[in-house]
Amino acid sequence: MPSLNEPRWLDPDEAAAWRGFVVASNLLNRRLERQLKEDSGLSHQQYEILVHLSAAPGGSLRMTELADKLVTSKSGLTYQVTQLERAGLVARRSCPSDVRGVIAELTDQGREALRQAAPGHVALVRELLIDVLTREQLAVLAEGLGTVSARLRLEDA
Amino acid sequence: MPSLNEPRWLDPDEAAAWRGFVVASNLLNRRLERQLKEDSGLSHQQYEILVHLSAAPGGSLRMTELADKLVTSKSGLTYQVTQLERAGLVARRSCPSDVRGVIAELTDQGREALRQAAPGHVALVRELLIDVLTREQLAVLAEGLGTVSARLRLEDA
DNA sequence: ACACCTTCGTTCGAATTTGAACAACAGGAG
DNA sequence: CTCCTGTTGTTCAAATTCGAACGAAGGTGT
C-alpha cells in the first residue's frame, strides 16, 4: 500500500496527458514562432500584442491590462512594446485618468501588419492543432483548459 | 457567403480552445518555473533534463536524443548541460561508437537532486492540472495532444 | 492635511534561448 | 580508397526574458 509520505505519482494516463501537453505546447510554439518570424518579421509575442490591441476598444490598452492578457512580466512587455514602437506598429500615449498610466495604441501601420500576418498564422494554427482534433476534442480542450486557466488566474490574485 | 480568398477564421469554439491552450500553457509554465526555482534551484528545463536522463537506460543519453525529447535547440541544450555539469548533477562522457558523440550522464548527486525535487513538482502539476480535470478530460487531452505532437514530429523530419 | 500601503511602468543586471557558422567526423556511392 | 553529403556538438553574437529595485503617483483611513 502507498506510503502516506510518498507523493502520489502520475499514473500512465495522467503522465501521458501531462507529457502531451508539454510536448505539444513546445512544438507548437517553436513552429509558430518560426512561421511568424519568417513570414512577417514578428515574434509570437509581438503578434499577440497586436491581436489583443486590435480586439480592444479603440485599439488601445493600458500596459498592465495588456501584460495580464499576454501572461507575461511587466518588464517583458515594456521591452516588446518598445520594439513595436520602433517598428511603428504601436504608439505610447499617456493615460488621461492616471498620470502613471501608459496606453499602448495600435497604429494604422500596426493594423496593416496584423491584417497581413493573421491569415498565415491562423492557417497554421488550424493545420497543426484545430483541424487535427475533432469537434468534441476541441470542446473538451476549451472547457478543461479554461478551468485550469481560471484557477491559475485566481492564485495570482 | 465566405470569400474563397478569405482565410477560414476560428469560430468561437475553436478560438476558445486555442486561447485556452496558449493561456494555460503560459500560466502553467510560469507557475512551475517559480516553484522549481524556489524549491530546488532548478529551472523547468533543467528538471526535465534530469527526468529524461533518469528514465533512460544507464541514466545517460546522447545530446541529440536529449534535445529531441526536450524539444529544444541543440545550442540551448549545450548551455543547460554545461550548467548542470557545473552543479555536479550531470557529467559528460564521450560516446564509444561515435567519436563526435557526447553522452550526458546523470550523476549520483543528480539523481539525488531529482529525487528531492520531484515530489513538489509532481504535487503542483497535480494541483494545477491533473486533479482539476476529470478522467475523461485527461484521456481526451492525452489522445488529442498526442496526435498533435506526433504530427509535428513528422514535419520536422 | 497626513501617513501608509498599493499600483504603475521603467530600468537594470543576470540568465537563458536561438539560429547561423563552424570544425570534425560518419556513412555510403562510385 | 575517395568524394560527397549529412550529422554532431560547440561557439558566437544577438535577442529576449525575468525578478528585484526604483521613483512616482493613486487611494484610503484617520
Side-chain angles (χ1 to χ4, degrees):
Chain A
M1 65 182 175
S3 158
L4 292 178
N5 289 16
E6 196 70 9
R8 289 166 53 221
W9 302 107
L10 303 185
D11 67 40
D13 288 346
E14 294 168 339
W18 171 235
R19 192 121 298 279
F21 186 77
V22 170
V23 171
S25 155
N26 286 349
L27 283 171
L28 265 174
N29 268 327
R30 279 177 93 62
R31 193 78 179 65
L32 292 174
E33 200 76 46
R34 190 150 45 98
Q35 191 262 349
L36 271 174
K37 201 92 78 181
E38 285 179 358
D39 217 61
S40 319
L42 293 171
S43 70
H44 192 196
Q45 190 95 84
Q46 292 172 337
Y47 175 84
E48 293 259 302
I49 292 178
L50 299 186
V51 167
H52 283 291
L53 288 181
S54 169
S60 63
L61 282 172
R62 287 193 58 166
M63 295 297 277
T64 298
E65 297 179 87
L66 195 44
D68 282 341
K69 289 182 192 294
L70 290 174
V71 191
T72 190
S73 64
K74 292 179 298 176
S75 48
L77 179 62
T78 294
Y79 174 78
Q80 283 301 166
V81 166
T82 301
Q83 298 310 105
L84 289 171
E85 199 172 25
R86 281 184 192 161
L89 308 185
V90 163
R92 268 187 241 248
R93 281 192 321 169
S94 54
C95 179
S97 62
D98 190 334
V99 185
R100 301 167 301 174
V102 170
I103 294 182
E105 183 177 21
L106 202 53
T107 65
D108 291 338
Q109 202 179 336
R111 277 187 205 283
E112 184 49 34
L114 180 56
R115 180 162 22 238
Q116 188 258 333
H121 175 73
V122 173
L124 192 55
V125 170
R126 244 188 203 303
E127 177 190 336
L128 300 182
L129 180 72
I130 304 295
D131 287 349
V132 175
L133 303 176
T134 67
R135 210 69 198 172
E136 290 84 17
Q137 286 177 318
L138 278 179
V140 171
L141 212 97
E143 191 191 316
L145 297 185
T147 308
V148 170
S149 297
R151 272 179 166 273
L152 280 163
R153 297 264 198 211
L154 286 183
E155 285 208 350
D156 277 349
Chain B
M1 63 182 174
S3 157
L4 292 179
N5 289 16
E6 197 70 9
R8 289 165 54 220
W9 301 108
L10 303 185
D11 66 41
D13 288 345
E14 294 168 338
W18 172 233
R19 191 121 298 278
F21 186 77
V22 170
V23 171
S25 157
N26 286 350
L27 284 171
L28 265 174
N29 269 327
R30 280 177 92 63
R31 194 78 179 66
L32 292 173
E33 200 76 46
R34 190 152 45 96
Q35 191 263 348
L36 271 173
K37 201 93 77 182
E38 285 179 358
D39 217 60
S40 320
L42 293 171
S43 69
H44 192 197
Q45 190 95 83
Q46 293 172 337
Y47 175 85
E48 293 259 301
I49 292 178
L50 299 186
V51 168
H52 283 291
L53 287 181
S54 168
S60 63
L61 282 172
R62 286 194 58 167
M63 296 295 278
T64 299
E65 297 179 87
L66 195 44
D68 283 342
K69 289 182 193 294
L70 291 173
V71 192
T72 189
S73 64
K74 293 177 298 175
S75 48
L77 180 62
T78 293
Y79 175 78
Q80 283 301 166
V81 166
T82 301
Q83 299 310 104
L84 288 172
E85 200 173 24
R86 280 182 193 162
L89 307 185
V90 163
R92 268 188 241 248
R93 282 192 321 167
S94 54
C95 179
S97 61
D98 190 336
V99 185
R100 301 167 301 175
V102 171
I103 294 183
E105 184 177 21
L106 203 54
T107 65
D108 291 339
Q109 203 180 335
R111 276 188 205 283
E112 183 49 36
L114 180 57
R115 181 165 18 241
Q116 189 258 332
H121 175 73
V122 173
L124 193 55
V125 170
R126 243 186 203 305
E127 176 190 337
L128 300 181
L129 181 72
I130 303 295
D131 287 349
V132 175
L133 303 176
T134 68
R135 210 67 198 173
E136 289 84 15
Q137 286 177 318
L138 278 179
V140 171
L141 212 96
E143 190 191 316
L145 297 185
T147 308
V148 170
S149 298
R151 272 178 165 272
L152 279 163
R153 297 265 198 211
L154 285 184
E155 284 208 349
D156 277 349

